[in-house]
Amino acid sequence: MSPLQLVVGPLAENTYLVRTPEGPVLIDPGDEAERILKAAKESGIWPKAILLTHAHFDHVGAVGPLVEALDLPVYLHPLDLPLYRLAPELAQAFGLRIPPPPLEVWPLEEGMSLYGFTVWHLPGHSPGHVAFLREGEVYSGDLLFKGGIGRYDLPGADGKALFASLRRLFSLPAQTRVYPGHGPPTDLATEARTNPFLIEWET
C-alpha cells in the first residue's frame, strides 16, 4: 500500500504516513504539525512512532509538537544528534523558525529491523543519514531524488561518502520504488537511466 505523502514547509519536504504490520509510522515530519495531525485523523492512520532519515531542520520541524500531541518515540541515528539539537538555530540561519525537538531519541543502527523496515546507514548528506527499506520500496531521505541527489556542501556532509551510499542504494533491485525527502516518487531503474548525476554509472 502506498504511503500517505504530505509536502510540508517552505522547503517542500516530504512527510510520509506509512502503514506497517507493527502499526503506522511517520517518516520525517518536517513542518506543519497541525496539518499532519489533521491528515492522520482524516485517514485513520495514527502513527505509533517517528522515524527520521536525518536531522536537518526541514525534516524535524514538526517533531516537537507531534511528540507533545501524541507522545511518540523518535528514532534517529546517533551521528545526527548534533544536527538534531542545533536544528532550531540552523533553521534561523535560513530565516525560518521551528520548535525545539524533544531531546530524548531512540538510536537507529545499521541493519536493525524496526516497524517492518530494515535500517541502512547511508551517510554523506549528513553523518547519520539512514534509509528505511522494505520489500520493493525505500524511503531515501535526501540521498536520492527524482533527477537529483542530496547536497554534500552542508556542515557534516561528505561527498565521497554520499556517492558510496548511492552505490550501495543501487545494489537494490532496479524496480525498487523510491520515496525521497523532496520531490515525486521514482524508482531505481528510472534514476539509473535518466538521473544526470548517475547516468554514467555502471549500476
Side-chain angles (χ1 to χ4, degrees):
M1 180 180 295
S2 297
L4 175 60
Q5 176 182 340
L6 299 171
V7 181
V8 300
L11 299 186
E13 184 266 347
N14 291 332
T15 292
Y16 297 101
L17 268 167
V18 188
R19 296 184 188 272
T20 82
E22 300 172 38
V25 297
L26 258 176
I27 296 179
D28 289 356
D31 204 347
E32 302 184 55
E34 288 300 321
R35 184 170 159 229
I36 294 171
L37 287 168
K38 182 180 178 182
K41 181 178 180 180
E42 290 177 349
S43 65
I45 308 174
W46 287 105
K48 291 190 172 182
I50 293 172
L51 311 185
L52 299 175
T53 61
H54 63 295
H56 286 153
F57 69 85
D58 57 320
H59 288 251
V60 306
V63 171
L66 290 169
V67 168
E68 184 174 351
L70 301 176
D71 192 25
L72 303 175
V74 179
Y75 292 85
L76 176 71
H77 195 285
L79 289 178
D80 260 25
L81 279 172
L83 285 172
Y84 181 76
R85 291 168 179 153
L86 287 173
E89 289 89 342
L90 295 172
Q92 284 185 351
F94 284 79
L96 303 170
R97 291 183 178 273
I98 66 168
L103 295 181
E104 183 179 0
V105 299
W106 294 84
L108 295 172
E109 298 177 0
E110 163 66 29
M112 74 185 295
S113 295
L114 185 70
Y115 288 94
F117 294 103
T118 299
V119 177
W120 275 13
H121 180 211
L122 297 174
H125 182 64
S126 71
H129 193 289
V130 304
F132 301 108
L133 288 69
R134 61 183 183 179
E135 186 174 359
E137 61 187 39
V138 58
Y139 293 81
S140 65
D142 285 3
L143 175 59
L144 178 69
F145 310 117
K146 184 175 179 62
I149 61 173
R151 291 178 61 174
Y152 48 91
D153 60 346
L154 301 170
D158 182 326
K160 184 176 180 180
L162 183 134
F163 279 94
S165 292
L166 283 166
R167 290 190 180 278
R168 185 180 179 200
L169 187 69
F170 275 83
S171 71
L172 294 169
Q175 67 272 21
T176 299
R177 189 77 168 155
V178 178
Y179 294 100
H182 302 267
T186 185
D187 59 73
L188 293 180
T190 298
E191 297 313 302
R193 187 176 66 253
T194 65
N195 191 309
F197 297 92
L198 308 174
I199 55 176
E200 296 182 0
W201 282 12
E202 294 181 5
T203 56

